[in-house]
Amino acid sequence: MTNHWIDLRNSDCLLIQGSNCAENHPIAFKWVMKAKERGAKLIHVDPRFTRTSAKADFYAPIRSGTDVAFLGGMIKYIIENEKYFKDYVVNYTNAPFLVNDKFAFDDGLFSGYDAAGRKYDKATWTIKKDDKGIPLKDPTLQDPRCVLQLLKKHYSRYDLDTVSKITGTPVKDLQTVYEMFSSTGVPDKAGTMLYALGQTQHTGGSQNIRTMCIIQLLLGNIGICGGGINALRGEPNVQGSTDHAILSNILPGYLKAPVSSQPTLDDYIKKNTPKTSDPQSANWWQNYPKYTVSLLKAWYGDKATKENDFGYSWVPKLDDGQDCTLLNMIDNMYEKKIKGLIVFAQNPACSLPNAVKVREGLTNLDWMVHVNIFDNETASFWKGPGIDPKKVKTEVFLLPAAASVEKQGSQTNSGRMVMWKYEAAKGPGDAVYYAGDAVIQIVAKLQELYKKEKGAFPDPILNLKWDYIDDKGRFNVVEVAKVTNGYFLEDVTIADKTYKKGDCVPSFALLQADGKTSSGNWLMCGSFAQDGTNLMARRKKDDPTGLGLYPQWAWSWPVNRRIIYNRASVDLNGKPYNPNRPLLAWVDGKWVGDVPDGPWPPMSDLKNGKYPFIMKPDGVSALFGPGLSDGPFPEHYEPLEGPMDKNLLSSQLKNPVMKIFSGPCDLYSGCDPKYPFVMTTYSSTEHWCTGGNTRWQSWLTEAQPQVYVEISEELAQLRSIKNGDKVKVESARGSLPCVAMVTTRLRPLNCGGQTIHLVGMTYNYGWLFPNDCGDSANLLTPTAGDANTMTPEYKAFMVNVVKI
Amino acid sequence: MSNGKSILVDTSLCTACRGCQVACKQWNNLPGTKTKQIGTYQNPQDFSSDTWKVVRFADGKKEDGKPYWYFFTDMCRHCVEPPCMYSIQNFVKDAVVRDEATGAVVYNEKTKTVPFKEVLCPYNIPRQNPKTKVLAKCTMCFDRIKNDMIPGCVKSCPTGAMVFGDREKILEMANKRVADLKKTYPKAMAINPDEVRVIFIVTDDPKKYWKFAAGG
């Protein structure tokens, strides 16, 4: 989230699209209701009418997988009706910047497309610069090559009629949503956008979010109270796990994973440290070397020296272009390229797409170690449906784990707030307390073996600074948190202030690139005070601004800032755009309010002032964003499996750069009459993810006992299905018996005269327990991923439903 | 006697998360019963001696053709003048207690000798344990209240749809809330506020929520 949960109450208009907040974030939804009590309007756009829709002031249906078209139409509406916040757009976005003359877009493709390689050469996706390297701009926004005009041209094709034919949303519903939400494009109104997996789990998932960002920037809704682009992360700790790099493409703190063409630290830093020639741009990522070296010092301690590149050569490197995300990992397992697997607290046999392929892949392993609080369909895959245990060679070790409430540590919520929590009860027996306990022991064993047997490259293992064990020989969670924050490794004097060796580094602004500081994750730097006080454990309820920032309750990254990009909430002189909700103000030469996005004076100070979007090299936010692999402006493409045989906006039917898997289990149906209905999958309130924990809880299985498919009355009639009938849902990959739930909450959509039926299922079930609950909806989902992140396309694919 | 306690259930704030349904079972040590999916989110389908709180789900189409989905977290209303109490007392004098301080209507084991079909309840709340024949329903978490804790269901509510407090204050809140809601929902009303202690606010015809919502 750019903002935070409590801040939702400050909004005037909340657009929830691609999220079922009421059901999947039931506690946090209270802040949505608080906004409504204040008179805010709640809009819900979703393929299904859910418990969120039931609380909305306005609900609009949408065909799953068409969000870019829906939101692209809103961009057109905002620009053509001049609903955008001009002052903000001119000063704080790249709308006035002039784009490379060779940049072009034609019939669904941007310039530089390589059809054979299914990728773009982004050479023309650039901003024109003057001889000093400063971007060329037209502050009047009239130049046909300025970003705003190109944006206008791009979305001019997204007219109401075309958008309605693609999305199935009636024209008048589109108009209502566009009007309601764009009413926040004025200084004293705030609109917020809430999304979750309903936006990300598509082959164009990243671009769905980009489209939302563009709207929020046009309306001046980023960096303000009650605004923002808010990803609703939840219990699976998506926020914390990405911050700490449980992804293969990043190191902690969103540093890039090194690749083999960057053999030295200098290569790596040169490649990843952005440059700017504009003196008013803070270009915060210029600190990349400091964060990298401090990370290496945290990992390798005294072994990391300037002479040996601080141990950079010991960090594993990806091959250039290599993608190690989950879908590829499963593919490799299926292809017998992976021998062993350690699974902590997951259930991939039910949670990953194309479970048929996943489950078969697991049989190819030599061994699997599974650490969990319950047995699940992954740990017991060898006795699952259709699998003969006698033919499975995999040796499985199931280790009992302590539950999250049985251990202390930090938890990061969706609003970047990191809160320290304590052990509420003892874990059972000899349960593995922390994943850290297991990792500590594995590494200790590896070190012992490398010492004894040497091996080809022992340095990365033997040189690890591995002193996280307390006096009882257990994983020391407090020490790991402190190392993550970072220490001064020598006495250091910065701006007349001396920090002693062994002090905690109280802010990432103090991290150094010379090896004198360590930090396991620069974003977490400041979570401990210099004297070692754990700020994440704070519980003070003061709210000096009255805006719900609660600055002394726990701690937020970065540097306890509660709303990021907050310097975009003020005008060039530092005066709040919205006097009723002043998040930040420049008063008597200093900032008052939230922790500002940098200490510099407002932009009107031409000498020392800085642009507000400090993480971008140009200092402004990017309406034109060349960072993604599939285009600098989002463009609508159909899902990998969709009901349309053509794209009404171009002759490019599918995302041109997404990976297409082609193994024997990677089966896809196009516009196939055998699989005529669009399916979307999701979770319910009553179960958590695959139900791996909740299905063992009788009060929850009582409330949601068995797998079901939600279908409309019209589809039920078409297939002669009655409410509660047993049916079978089939896709090109698998089939799943379940109960039909016939409901008015799903309705067929009219997509340009074509009737499209939508059906939906939760992925909360699995064959193991209870034995009559049914199996996973992921037996049906395709192995397909977002073109940028490889997040699976769980939300839009094709099925058939028949009575059994 | 004071005016006792009341619970306000504002269905316009309820998201049917069913925290209350589960909290009720947790506090009262009631087991999860074996259910089946029969084509609705509502489960268990109805009250039983093991289920004293059921969130009822009702979906349909509004006049404009768009769907509605109403949630009604059904429970004993703890009537000010409880028909169940009077009908049970016809058989066993002390099988029901109406607490002086709170007004909570609480059954005890002596109800097992009462003929169940003679027990009157306009809201169709009490159920009989098929084995012990003891009658069962919500106690207003009488035991919690006596220990200065609010009822379990109210405690679990994330959106503030349920509020517990002194009856006068709850009635005042209900009046204010209905007046506010009427601006958007002309049919908004509190259901029988003078007759019951558990006062539901609805924004549409109570029958669309549940056939016994306003009494049968």
Side-chain angles (χ1 to χ4, degrees):
Chain A
M1 285 172 127
T2 54
N3 295 39
H4 57 99
W5 286 115
I6 297 170
D7 184 61
L8 296 176
R9 78 176 192 209
N10 293 321
S11 192
D12 296 299
C13 188
L14 304 98
L15 173 59
I16 304 182
Q17 182 163 347
S19 152
N20 183 0
C21 185
E23 296 191 46
N24 298 135
H25 301 88
I27 312 294
F29 196 72
K30 72 174 168 190
W31 302 112
V32 175
M33 298 307 280
K34 290 242 186 269
K36 267 176 66 92
E37 281 176 57
R38 273 187 42 253
K41 295 293 175 206
L42 173 62
I43 306 169
H44 191 220
V45 178
D46 203 276
R48 297 182 303 137
F49 189 93
T50 67
R51 284 179 253 190
T52 302
S53 325
K55 298 291 120 180
D57 294 284
F58 192 79
Y59 163 76
I62 182 174
R63 174 165 66 90
S64 194
T66 63
D67 297 85
V68 167
F70 188 106
L71 296 165
M74 175 134 54
I75 296 175
K76 176 184 163 76
Y77 177 87
I78 290 167
I79 297 179
E80 291 183 0
N81 295 289
E82 295 194 29
K83 296 279 185 186
Y84 55 92
F85 185 177
K86 193 165 176 206
D87 201 34
Y88 186 105
V89 166
V90 170
N91 292 307
Y92 298 157
T93 77
N94 64 10
F97 288 23
L98 304 186
V99 174
N100 186 325
D101 289 328
K102 291 190 178 132
F103 167 75
F105 174 81
D106 181 38
D107 193 26
L109 292 171
F110 297 91
S111 44
Y113 186 59
D114 163 14
R118 294 185 62 78
K119 62 179 196 292
Y120 280 106
D121 174 355
K122 298 187 193 172
T124 61
W125 302 2
T126 55
I127 300 292
K128 285 200 256 189
K129 294 194 171 159
D130 67 13
D131 50 8
K132 290 190 190 115
I134 312 271
L136 292 174
K137 301 174 201 178
D138 173 20
T140 70
L141 305 175
Q142 297 307 309
D143 190 302
R145 293 304 292 176
C146 83
V147 166
L148 190 85
Q149 290 300 328
L150 290 176
L151 189 71
K152 184 177 178 182
K153 188 175 161 205
H154 188 83
Y155 292 104
S156 62
R157 304 171 298 131
Y158 288 60
D159 59 87
L160 285 168
D161 186 49
T162 307
V163 170
S164 176
K165 281 178 178 158
I166 294 170
T167 59
T169 314
V171 166
K172 68 173 172 33
D173 284 5
L174 290 170
Q175 280 171 316
T176 304
V177 175
Y178 296 171
E179 276 167 31
M180 282 174 84
F181 197 73
S182 60
S183 70
T184 63
V186 290
D188 62 347
K189 287 270 183 278
T192 181
M193 284 190 173
L194 283 64
Y195 75 89
L197 308 176
Q199 288 285 31
T200 56
Q201 291 177 341
H202 293 281
T203 43
S206 301
Q207 295 287 17
N208 285 344
I209 317 305
R210 272 277 298 148
T211 324
M212 291 183 130
C213 289
I214 290 171
I215 291 171
Q216 287 298 63
L217 290 168
L218 289 171
L219 298 173
N221 276 333
I222 299 283
I224 68 169
C225 256
I229 177 91
N230 293 309
L232 310 188
R233 276 85 184 251
E235 191 78 33
N237 202 11
V238 180
Q239 187 65 57
S241 61
T242 44
D243 297 345
H244 293 291
I246 307 189
L247 280 176
S248 55
N249 62 329
I250 49 173
L251 301 181
Y254 303 92
L255 303 178
K256 300 275 194 314
V259 294
S260 53
S261 63
Q262 299 155 0
T264 68
L265 181 61
D266 195 44
D267 298 325
Y268 171 73
I269 286 194
K270 272 201 180 118
K271 182 76 187 167
N272 292 308
T273 310
K275 288 199 167 52
T276 181
S277 307
D278 192 333
Q280 279 206 286
S281 172
N283 186 28
W284 195 262
W285 276 118
Q286 67 174 294
N287 296 307
Y288 202 95
K290 297 175 183 172
Y291 305 153
T292 305
V293 172
S294 295
L295 175 63
L296 294 169
K297 286 299 288 183
W299 281 349
Y300 304 119
D302 293 341
K303 297 280 173 58
T305 63
K306 192 166 188 330
E307 292 66 39
N308 67 12
D309 258 3
F310 299 103
Y312 172 78
S313 64
W314 304 326
V315 181
K317 314 284 184 299
L318 292 165
D319 291 339
D320 288 73
Q322 185 183 4
D323 185 310
C324 294
T325 49
L326 275 170
L327 295 186
N328 285 314
M329 188 186 95
I330 295 297
D331 202 54
N332 281 321
M333 196 187 297
Y334 185 83
E335 298 288 336
K336 306 184 180 173
K337 291 174 190 159
I338 291 178
K339 298 288 174 202
L341 181 70
I342 304 181
V343 181
F344 285 108
Q346 289 205 4
N347 191 7
C350 285
S351 66
L352 292 183
N354 201 353
V356 178
K357 178 178 177 180
V358 178
R359 292 172 187 187
E360 200 170 322
L362 292 169
T363 67
N364 292 333
L365 295 168
D366 289 345
W367 56 266
M368 176 172 70
V369 177
H370 191 105
V371 188
N372 216 314
I373 62 173
F374 292 108
D375 186 9
N376 66 21
E377 288 76 9
T378 304
S380 283
F381 78 90
W382 51 274
K383 55 180 177 185
I387 294 184
D388 177 0
K390 290 195 197 89
K391 292 184 183 153
V392 178
K393 62 169 179 170
T394 318
E395 190 176 5
V396 178
F397 304 87
L398 176 57
L399 308 182
S404 62
V405 293
E406 291 165 343
K407 46 201 169 188
Q408 68 163 332
S410 71
Q411 287 191 148
T412 308
N413 84 358
S414 201
R416 297 164 287 101
M417 184 198 280
V418 196
M419 196 154 110
W420 197 264
K421 48 119 189 193
Y422 299 93
E423 185 182 296
K426 287 271 169 228
D430 57 355
V432 176
Y433 255 69
Y434 296 97
D437 270 325
V439 175
I440 287 268
Q441 290 181 48
I442 291 168
V443 173
K445 189 72 189 172
L446 281 170
Q447 290 188 323
E448 185 193 314
L449 287 169
Y450 268 114
K451 269 184 200 147
K452 204 161 78 187
E453 301 173 10
K454 310 300 178 203
F457 191 32
D459 304 23
I461 302 294
L462 293 182
N463 289 332
L464 280 174
K465 183 176 96 50
W466 207 248
D467 51 1
Y468 308 126
I469 300 165
D470 66 15
D471 44 15
K472 289 180 191 140
R474 305 286 299 253
F475 172 73
N476 186 338
V477 65
V478 176
E479 182 50 28
V480 169
K482 282 188 167 175
V483 168
T484 305
N485 175 86
Y487 288 113
F488 287 100
L489 304 174
E490 296 174 27
D491 292 356
V492 178
T493 303
I494 302 161
D496 295 338
K497 196 166 175 201
T498 299
Y499 301 89
K500 291 266 178 234
K501 178 180 177 180
D503 284 355
C504 286
V505 184
S507 162
F508 53 61
L510 301 168
L511 292 173
Q512 304 295 317
D514 57 5
K516 287 180 182 159
T517 57
S518 69
S519 174
N521 184 339
W522 70 278
L523 284 175
M524 293 297 292
C525 197
S527 55
F528 284 84
Q530 190 183 342
D531 64 2
T533 306
N534 184 347
L535 301 185
M536 300 174 281
R538 292 183 297 182
R539 296 291 188 273
K540 228 175 151 188
K541 294 187 194 171
D542 297 9
D543 183 23
T545 61
L547 296 169
L549 301 177
Y550 299 102
Q552 293 184 77
W553 180 276
W555 180 86
S556 289
W557 70 258
V559 290
N560 207 31
R561 186 173 301 134
R562 301 289 159 140
I563 295 180
I564 54 178
Y565 312 121
N566 52 27
R567 290 196 314 133
S569 69
V570 297
D571 66 14
L572 300 184
N573 298 310
K575 193 167 159 250
Y577 278 126
N578 184 351
N580 304 320
R581 285 190 288 261
L583 177 59
L584 208 59
W586 182 254
V587 183
D588 301 331
K590 61 176 200 281
W591 291 107
V592 178
D594 194 10
V595 177
D597 243 319
W600 314 282
M603 271 171 66
S604 60
D605 181 336
L606 294 176
K607 189 155 166 271
N608 298 313
K610 301 282 184 205
Y611 304 125
F613 286 88
I614 62 172
M615 303 310 282
K616 305 297 289 180
D618 294 328
V620 294
S621 54
L623 297 174
F624 180 84
L628 296 187
S629 64
D630 43 359
F633 294 134
E635 171 68 1
H636 167 72
Y637 306 109
E638 289 291 322
L640 176 60
E641 281 191 351
M644 309 302 238
D645 57 5
K646 63 176 188 234
N647 179 350
L648 293 183
L649 284 161
S650 74
S651 54
Q652 193 63 41
L653 186 62
K654 316 275 179 198
N655 189 312
V657 303
M658 70 177 169
K659 176 169 177 170
I660 311 278
F661 288 85
S662 55
C665 276
D666 302 313
L667 305 168
Y668 309 108
S669 67
C671 245
D672 185 342
K674 269 167 74 184
Y675 306 106
F677 311 132
V678 178
M679 165 158 273
T680 186
T681 64
Y682 39 87
S683 184
S684 68
T685 308
E686 294 78 5
H687 286 297
W688 186 72
C689 295
T690 68
N693 298 344
T694 49
R695 280 185 273 123
W696 301 87
Q697 220 302 335
S698 67
W699 297 322
L700 299 175
T701 44
E702 175 189 49
Q704 286 285 21
Q706 288 169 314
V707 62
Y708 53 94
V709 59
E710 297 185 88
I711 64 175
S712 69
E713 291 176 329
E714 293 82 354
L715 177 55
Q717 199 172 13
L718 193 72
R719 286 285 191 264
S720 306
I721 294 167
K722 282 197 213 57
N723 192 30
D725 277 353
K726 289 233 162 62
V727 296
K728 189 167 67 174
V729 183
E730 299 170 306
S731 77
R733 296 154 293 279
S735 116
L736 179 59
C738 59
V739 177
M741 185 185 289
V742 180
T743 173
T744 51
R745 293 178 290 100
L746 276 163
R747 289 174 301 161
L749 295 170
N750 176 358
C751 295
Q754 188 179 344
T755 300
I756 305 285
H757 291 280
L758 279 156
V759 303
M761 276 184 116
T762 76
Y763 74 109
N764 296 141
Y765 300 94
W767 56 266
L768 182 69
F769 188 85
N771 60 11
D772 63 346
C773 78
D775 209 342
S776 174
N778 280 316
L779 291 163
L780 308 168
T781 48
T783 305
D786 171 53
N788 289 281
T789 63
M790 289 299 277
T791 296
E793 190 160 62
Y794 294 107
K795 297 297 186 205
F797 58 98
M798 300 304 287
V799 298
N800 191 19
V801 182
V802 290
K803 197 171 163 176
I804 49 176
Chain B
M1 170 180 163
S2 76
N3 279 330
K5 301 290 181 185
S6 263
I7 295 175
L8 182 66
V9 186
D10 182 350
T11 64
S12 78
L13 293 174
C14 173
T15 60
C17 73
R18 295 199 268 194
C20 53
Q21 184 177 307
V22 169
C24 176
K25 295 219 162 194
Q26 185 174 22
W27 179 257
N28 294 300
N29 281 320
L30 298 169
T33 59
K34 186 69 190 166
T35 56
K36 281 199 174 308
Q37 175 54 261
I38 59 159
T40 169
Y41 276 51
Q42 185 176 314
N43 244 327
Q45 294 305 309
D46 199 3
F47 293 124
S48 71
S49 54
D50 290 331
T51 301
W52 303 346
K53 185 135 177 87
V54 169
V55 177
R56 302 194 186 273
F57 291 71
D59 57 8
K61 276 184 198 164
K62 289 189 289 196
E63 283 154 13
D64 63 3
K66 288 204 175 182
Y68 70 78
W69 204 6
Y70 291 150
F71 314 128
F72 195 86
T73 174
D74 204 4
M75 64 189 287
C76 171
R77 308 297 196 278
H78 295 277
C79 298
V80 176
E81 295 300 336
C84 68
M85 182 176 81
Y86 296 123
S87 53
I88 290 171
Q89 283 176 345
N90 286 339
F91 299 94
V92 186
K93 207 73 195 147
D94 53 355
V96 184
V97 177
R98 181 171 47 177
D99 180 53
E100 279 286 313
T102 59
V105 178
V106 185
Y107 296 176
N108 62 40
E109 289 217 340
K110 293 179 187 165
T111 52
K112 68 184 172 193
T113 59
V114 175
F116 182 47
K117 62 177 172 32
E118 302 295 335
V119 179
L120 302 177
C121 175
Y123 302 98
N124 190 24
I125 302 293
R127 293 293 182 271
Q128 188 175 41
N129 184 315
K131 282 188 191 142
T132 65
K133 307 296 177 194
V134 173
L135 303 189
K137 67 161 192 71
C138 160
T139 67
M140 206 196 266
C141 280
F142 178 70
D143 46 350
R144 288 176 62 92
I145 299 170
K146 289 285 168 195
N147 287 288
D148 293 326
M149 293 188 287
I150 63 174
C153 56
V154 179
K155 176 84 179 167
S156 74
C157 182
T159 59
M162 301 185 74
V163 185
F164 172 80
D166 291 337
R167 180 161 170 81
E168 299 84 13
K169 284 199 180 132
I170 294 293
L171 283 169
E172 203 178 304
M173 280 177 81
N175 286 336
K176 190 170 172 302
R177 186 66 185 155
V178 169
D180 277 352
L181 284 168
K182 270 189 187 295
K183 292 173 202 158
T184 318
Y185 308 98
K187 292 182 187 167
M189 62 180 280
I191 300 177
N192 307 334
D194 299 330
E195 295 166 22
V196 296
R197 290 186 181 276
V198 177
I199 302 162
F200 284 80
I201 291 177
V202 289
T203 54
D204 200 350
D205 177 3
K207 286 219 167 3
K208 283 191 179 166
Y209 291 73
W210 166 235
K211 63 180 170 182
F212 293 113

